[in-house]
Amino acid sequence: MRLLAVMMGCAMAAGAASSDTVLIRDVDVYPVSGAAMKGVSVLIQDGKIADIAARIVAPKGARVVEAKGLRVYPGMIDSGTELGLSEISAVRESVDTGELGEFMPQLRALVAVNPESEHFPVVRVNGITSVMTFPASGGRGGGRFGGGEQQFISGQAALIHTDGWTWEEMEINRSAAMHLIFPSRGGRGGRGGGAPPDAVPEIIPGAAGAAGGANAQRTYLDQIAKISAFFDDARKYQKARTANAPGFHRDLKFEAMIPVLEGKMPVGVSASRASAIHDAIAFAEKQNIKIVILQPREIGKAGAELKAKNIPVILGRVLALPESEDDAYDQSFTLPREAYQAGVKFAFGTFNNEFVRNLPYQAATAVAFGLPYDEALRAVTLSPAEIWGVSDRLGSVEKGKVADLLVTDGDPLEIQTQVKHLYIKGKEIALTNKQTRLYEKYMNR
Amino acid sequence: MRRILLGALVALAPLSAATIVIQNGTIMTVSKGTVKGSVVVKDGKIAEVGEKVMMPQGATVIDAAGQYVIPGIIDCHSHIAADGGINEGSVSVSSMVDIRDVLNPEDIAIYRALAGGVTTANILHGSANAIGGCTLPIKMRWGKDAQGLIFEGATPGIKFALGENPKRAGNPQGRGINGQVQVARYPATRMGIDDTIREAFNEAKAYKAEWDEYQAKTARGEHPIPPRKDLKLEALKEVLEGKRYVHAHCYRADEILMLLRVADDYGFKIRTFQHVLEGYKVAKEIAAHGAGGSTFSDWWSYKVEAFDAIPYNAAIMQKYGVVVSLNSDDAELMRHLNSEAGKVMKYGGLSETEALAMVTLNPAKQLGIDNRVGSIEPGKDADLVIYDKFPLSDYAKVQKVLIDGTVYFDRDKEVSGRAAKQAEKQKLIDKEKQNQQRQQPTRRPGQ
Amino acid sequence: MKKLAAALLLFCAYAVAEAPQAVAIRNARIVTVSGPAIAKGTVVVRNGLIEAVGDNVPVPADAWVVDGEGLTVYPGLIDALSTVGIPGAAPAAAAGGRGAGRGAAPATPTVTAPAPAAQTEPRAWGPEDRPATTSWLLAADEIQATDHRIETVRSAGVTTAATFPTRGIFAGQGSLVDLISGEKAGEMVLVPSVGQYISLSRGGFGGGGGGGGGGFPSSLMGTIAYIRQIYLDAAHYQLVKDAYAHDPRGMRRPEYDRALEGVLESKRILLPANRLVEIDRMLRFAAELKQPAILYGAREAYRPEAAELLKKGGASVLVSLKWPEPPARTADSEDTDTLRTLETRDKAPAAPAALQKAGVKFALYSDGIDQPRDFQRAVKKALDNGLSREDAVRALTLSPAEIYGVADRLGSIEKGKIANLVVTRGEIFDDRTKVEMIFVDGRKYTPAADTTAPGGRGQTTDNPGGNR
């Protein structure tokens, strides 16, 4: 009942969403970038945070939100999803991740984002206002339902807002990262459980086909050589392009690689084990590219190196099973703490559409197992904004930044906390979705 | 690890033998509200709960100051601790198989679940066929043998499955593992699932009649040859006799209603609907039948029949009078059912106690073991979990777990024991390496 | 005489037995197994039987004399679970894969060649279709005296094998055979049926797979349910058959069921059990089925709980000599096995000693280790892990004879018993010890050259269990 009332309130708010100017009054602001400010006002104008001050006079036509006892946080960012690309994970027709082809840097996740996906309203009501959407987040490739062949570069991940009429409107950065699936030495691969029943299992590339022993090692080295060769070819192309010799022919694959080679676009590298991370770093050094490590299962020995080279990490699901029987039961719960203690910059990703709305709770689990709270909150707000190069616009509640804000009745990492108001690019978002509609319908059956 | 672990249990042994008092905690009894006080455990049972209790002589004291005590978590749907596959999917009715036969007390998932506060779980057959195998609840008594896991005296169950999974084998795609042409297995549709269950109970009724007749004859002093005992029909006969609970995997409202009507027609009861993600659409009907609903808090969209799933499902079903539990169906999710319960506070506005009941007392009711477990009340089994913080949250972590008054998990001991475990492992690795090196010179050429 | 023997040896390169009327091995150390060892004594063999044994036994005038100075005579070794003599069979019932621990397959034979049945067996839709069942098969009927493995195995000192069909859930009945290189297989057979070999995998039969594609049973619990149903059916079948035999009038004729006939014929069952969990499970299962059972595999029998359970359950145990070995890995591999697996590899060879200590009746079996040197090394590993040589000999002679109920004719050097002997120079199972000669049914054989050398014929039929 309580919820229903909240929703009805929101529905009314949604009606007023066209208003460009909102004044949130008497609210506690948790900006992430600095200390909390109690009982202040926040002015949203033209999609931006126009002002934060103890007292702000409401501009003409501004809608005033009385928010005593409520809190303002920056919208949360999930650094690993397939949102917009995958609707029902078990249904091939509704899934557009995992294209065929070994090296597909020219693919852009953004253009396949379905703005009408039911997932967007579901995740944003929990305060997730932007996400990285990957062309193959689980490291899958080569046709997720097809051949399942090895894929190395799956395409360009996009940073998008979880609201917008078209993917162009949703775009924050269509080329936020190139996705490289680093080979694995094989052996025990695969993530622990935590997958929904009957879900397509996530597969660590290379693990399945690895014959073990020397074979696996050879395959591993061959695959790295193959990736190097591709990068080398791209570099040759880059030179030829600069020279603009007669007969030069544009190649879309290599064109897509140029921002990577120029160090303008980071490469998101899926690497699970510490040794793979080490090898990925070595590869990045050799190729002189910027990388972000995705979904490591361990930090271990790679920690010092990651810190020294200032390479950020996107931690995968915190709520995951340990890999081996001997691993501590809380291995994945404590990984964020380990990353933090190693001084590694990190953010969280859920890497499964179904769990995106639980991003804050995964961060909370990390807190339970030793990650300082502020770091956890940062890892779903400002840290990802920094990692993806948008901290000038997103990730904190600061004057001049994009007004991606949530107004809550408590700590957003706490399950019971309710989001009372949500703003994406300054627009108040209705806190409704397919699920709330079904709820209302059947509560009143 | 086993050895160390067993060692740890031995070290804890006095705790189980003695009387234990957990004091200064916030005790969420589920059935009798929340009190700040103590729980007294004697002989594996809860002896007393209250703000002030009589401190028995020689009791071992566990100080839970600032901590929370809840009843052991009960997972109504799990597939851990079973060897050799949880699906006998070759046939559409596999009621002859029994999880009891393949319990594996050394499955590490038991220990991990324990570390997540689970003390009892309903170990189910998979969902590959319309009528699956026999099932039973176990306790997470890590270190005991297979028999030692079994929840003594609990009514056994049987798994049914409706919808996409059981019809999958009716629509085989590609070739089998060995490259053989796959033979389609009836049924291929929801219509066929309805029929499969009806056919099975039609047969079971005839079988029951045969046995009833035999027993009647025997009672009259005749000496007839007994009918052939058929394990498949035996289990269904038990369902008809109310001696075996039906736990039915289902998603869509239509199939839930279908099974209710099949049960009505053949005179048996559905004990629980599992997953039951569209249970909210037919909550009235489920409640009228008296079936329970065991669902996920917020999983959805992983398959077509899960696309209408809503996180309000538990709350709506409860509103219509269904006894609702939250289950895991997954060795990972199983480890944080406490925070899953927190989600029904968020998504349905349920109270703390109502939410906690969904992972304790309600599943106990669904499994017919609420006289033994599910709440903190004198006389019940001392299955208790101590959390460092408010437990319906991801900020909470399990500190200690007691089953039958014995401490089976202790986080401090677990953490402090890790170095020794690692050392033992390293010793074995080194030994093996040494052995291999020693043998190298004597290696025959060409090997 | 010695010269004559040597000449004969040269003459018939190998495998041809000498069958003189009588042989006397004198001045040898005799390990009788049933009694104390005789430091210097004589064994007289005649007509395939032991005519006399003792420290003061006269050498018959007609006997060929073997000078046993420096030699030791043991009873012929018995391989308690083998497939020798059944060509194309699985290489003895291998118990599980390499490594061990959680997730390791239950003890199951490794099948090299797919059985013809794999193609022909129709998909089973339930227990009534009797899937993966050839319970009526008798190893004795399958044995071919020409199987080259007979000689290989014999060269390790194995004179007798309990050889089993191993394909399927109810694979068939094993036979106790003497490893003579005869012309007629029938000559080899000591006991045609010693028990039903049961495995918990379909082993070689088509189907399988946990999904819907394969036939019944496709899971461990399905297999167990099937076995349970078979025994219920067998009991009912017997009941109906007896009633019909008693008075057929007015009664429908019971349908002949060869699967049940085969089960009813079997004196005992062999059940696979490697892990402690499996040992517990199979002991309970055997008790439930009310069948005398032998457990095979026993990899985790080193665990005190296992030995205790086995002692309490009163079951006999066949311990696989194929000790778990680490997988081949490159030096830079990061993968380590689990503690459980490591511990199993470390301790498995201590299982025989643990069983001995606990007083469990056990025998050792080759589990596909055919080559004499590998066999010797495998036994040696048990000795290195605490089993006394005396107990090892017993576990390969009198104990298996007792387990199969033939201790009245095999397993020790006693007057009147079958003349199966191994004569070694040095103590048996030592690295440098040589098997000098083997007597099977009184026929003398010399060991074939060890074929484990490179280029030699036939590696063991599976991964050697030797010290690689």
Side-chain angles (χ1 to χ4, degrees), chain B residues 1 3 83-84 88 90-91 101 103 106-107 125 147 182 226 228-229 231 425 431-432 444, chain C residues 102 123 125 216 218-220 228-229 233 236 275 281 284 303 339-340 345-347 377:
Chain B
M1 182 204 67
R3 208 183 321 132
D83 265 349
E88 179 52 56
S90 59
V91 287
D101 289 332
L103 285 179
E106 303 195 342
D107 183 354
H125 181 277
Q147 298 303 304
Q182 299 207 69
R228 169 180 176 264
K229 193 161 242 179
L231 291 172
K425 184 170 175 177
K431 185 174 170 189
E432 200 162 77
R444 289 190 293 273
Chain C
R102 192 173 92 84
R123 189 199 195 284
W125 292 98
F216 177 87
S218 63
S219 63
L220 176 61
R228 180 178 287 134
Q229 185 69 59
D233 287 355
H236 191 257
R275 293 178 293 143
R281 184 182 292 148
R284 286 176 188 284
R303 293 173 64 173
L339 181 51
R340 200 188 289 242
R345 280 209 294 267
D346 185 47
K347 299 261 173 58
R377 284 181 182 173

Side-chain angles (χ1 to χ4, degrees), chain B residues 1-4 6 83-92 94 96-99 101-109 112 125-126 128 133-134 142 145-147 169 177-178 180-186 225-232 421 424-425 428-429 431-432 435-436 439 442-447, chain C residues 102-103 123-128 130 206-226 228-229 232-233 236 239-240 243 251 275-278 280-281 284 288 300 303 305 309 326-327 336-340 342-343 345-347 373-374 377 452-454 459 464 467-468:
Chain B
M1 182 204 67
R2 280 308 285 151
R3 208 183 321 132
I4 289 191
L6 288 175
D83 265 349
I86 51 125
N87 269 307
E88 179 52 56
S90 59
V91 287
S92 47
S94 68
M96 73 291 277
V97 311
D98 198 334
I99 291 282
D101 289 332
V102 293
L103 285 179
N104 174 13
E106 303 195 342
D107 183 354
I108 191 68
R112 290 172 179 164
H125 181 277
C134 297
W142 179 246
D145 63 10
Q147 298 303 304
I177 309 164
N178 308 323
Q180 81 278 22
V181 177
Q182 299 207 69
V183 185
R185 186 204 74 193
Y186 182 81
I225 296 175
R228 169 180 176 264
K229 193 161 242 179
D230 185 314
L231 291 172
K232 180 180 89 175
K421 182 180 145 180
E424 190 189 358
K425 184 170 175 177
L428 286 170
I429 292 170
K431 185 174 170 189
E432 200 162 77
N435 283 342
Q436 277 172 325
Q439 280 154 21
T442 65
R443 217 177 234 199
R444 289 190 293 273
Q447 286 232 337
Chain C
R102 192 173 92 84
R123 189 199 195 284
W125 292 98
E128 295 73 17
R130 307 291 185 235
F216 177 87
S218 63
S219 63
L220 176 61
M221 61 188 167
T223 307
I224 290 175
Y226 172 55
R228 180 178 287 134
Q229 185 69 59
L232 287 172
D233 287 355
H236 191 257
L239 206 64
V240 175
M251 192 177 165
R275 293 178 293 143
L276 169 61
V277 171
E278 292 164 347
D280 181 28
R281 184 182 292 148
R284 286 176 188 284
E288 181 200 324
E300 282 187 5
R303 293 173 64 173
E305 308 97 305
L309 277 175
T336 58
D337 287 303
T338 61
L339 181 51
R340 200 188 289 242
L342 288 164
E343 193 175 86
R345 280 209 294 267
D346 185 47
K347 299 261 173 58
R373 191 179 301 184
D374 295 328
R377 284 181 182 173
T452 51
Q459 286 288 320
N467 302 324
R468 279 159 57 99

Side-chain angles (χ1 to χ4, degrees), chain A residues 310-334:
Chain A
N310 200 23
I311 294 169
V313 165
I314 305 303
L315 298 173
R317 285 214 301 280
V318 178
L319 294 167
L321 283 175
E323 249 185 299
S324 151
E325 180 181 57
D326 289 348
D327 294 336
Y329 81 95
D330 57 2
Q331 185 197 43
S332 51
F333 306 158
T334 56

Side-chain angles (χ1 to χ4, degrees), chain C residues 322-379:
Chain C
K322 190 191 270 172
W323 312 118
E325 291 284 323
R329 284 208 184 95
T330 48
D332 57 347
S333 170
E334 305 169 286
D335 289 322
T336 58
D337 287 303
T338 61
L339 181 51
R340 200 188 289 242
T341 303
L342 288 164
E343 193 175 86
T344 304
R345 280 209 294 267
D346 185 47
K347 299 261 173 58
L355 292 172
Q356 180 69 38
K357 203 175 148 206
V360 175
K361 173 79 72 195
F362 75 98
L364 301 171
Y365 73 101
S366 64
D367 206 352
I369 301 174
D370 288 348
Q371 294 301 328
R373 191 179 301 184
D374 295 328
F375 182 82
Q376 192 175 43
R377 284 181 182 173
V379 180

Side-chain angles (χ1 to χ4, degrees), chain A residues 7 118 121 432-442:
Chain A
M7 284 191 321
E118 300 285 1
T432 57
N433 53 40
K434 175 182 160 84
Q435 300 181 348
T436 60
R437 285 190 295 275
L438 283 167
Y439 174 57
E440 274 184 86
K441 179 174 171 186
Y442 283 96

Side-chain angles (χ1 to χ4, degrees), chain A residues 207-253:
Chain A
N215 246 355
Q217 175 66 4
R218 201 178 319 121
T219 309
Y220 177 72
L221 294 175
D222 284 353
Q223 289 177 343
I224 293 178
K226 212 167 181 177
I227 298 169
S228 296
F230 181 78
F231 273 75
D232 293 346
D233 287 349
R235 220 173 285 281
K236 276 181 210 148
Y237 174 86
Q238 185 188 24
K239 270 193 193 136
R241 185 178 185 266
T242 315
N244 201 12
F248 171 78
H249 186 76
R250 278 176 75 84
D251 182 301
L252 295 187
K253 271 190 209 292

Side-chain angles (χ1 to χ4, degrees), chain A residues 90 126 196 198 320 324 326 329-330 354 357-358 361 368 411 413 415 417-418 434-435 443 445, chain B residues 112 281 285 298-300 302-303 307-308 311 319 335 346-347 392 394-395 397 411 418 421 425:
Chain A
N126 273 18
D198 317 310
S324 151
D326 289 348
Y329 81 95
D330 57 2
E354 211 202 317
R357 67 168 151 196
N358 293 337
Y361 317 141
D411 169 16
L413 307 190
I415 286 176
T417 298
Q418 305 284 1
K434 175 182 160 84
Q435 300 181 348
M443 270 306 258
R445 180 186 158 196
Chain B
R112 290 172 179 164
K281 297 182 180 174
E285 288 79 1
D298 65 349
W299 285 19
W300 78 297
Y302 46 92
K303 58 204 298 205
F307 205 56
D308 268 7
K319 183 202 144 183
R335 311 193 299 160
K346 178 184 176 75
Y347 295 114
L392 298 167
D394 280 310
Y395 288 131
K397 56 177 186 296
R411 181 165 160 86
R418 284 175 188 170
K421 182 180 145 180
K425 184 170 175 177

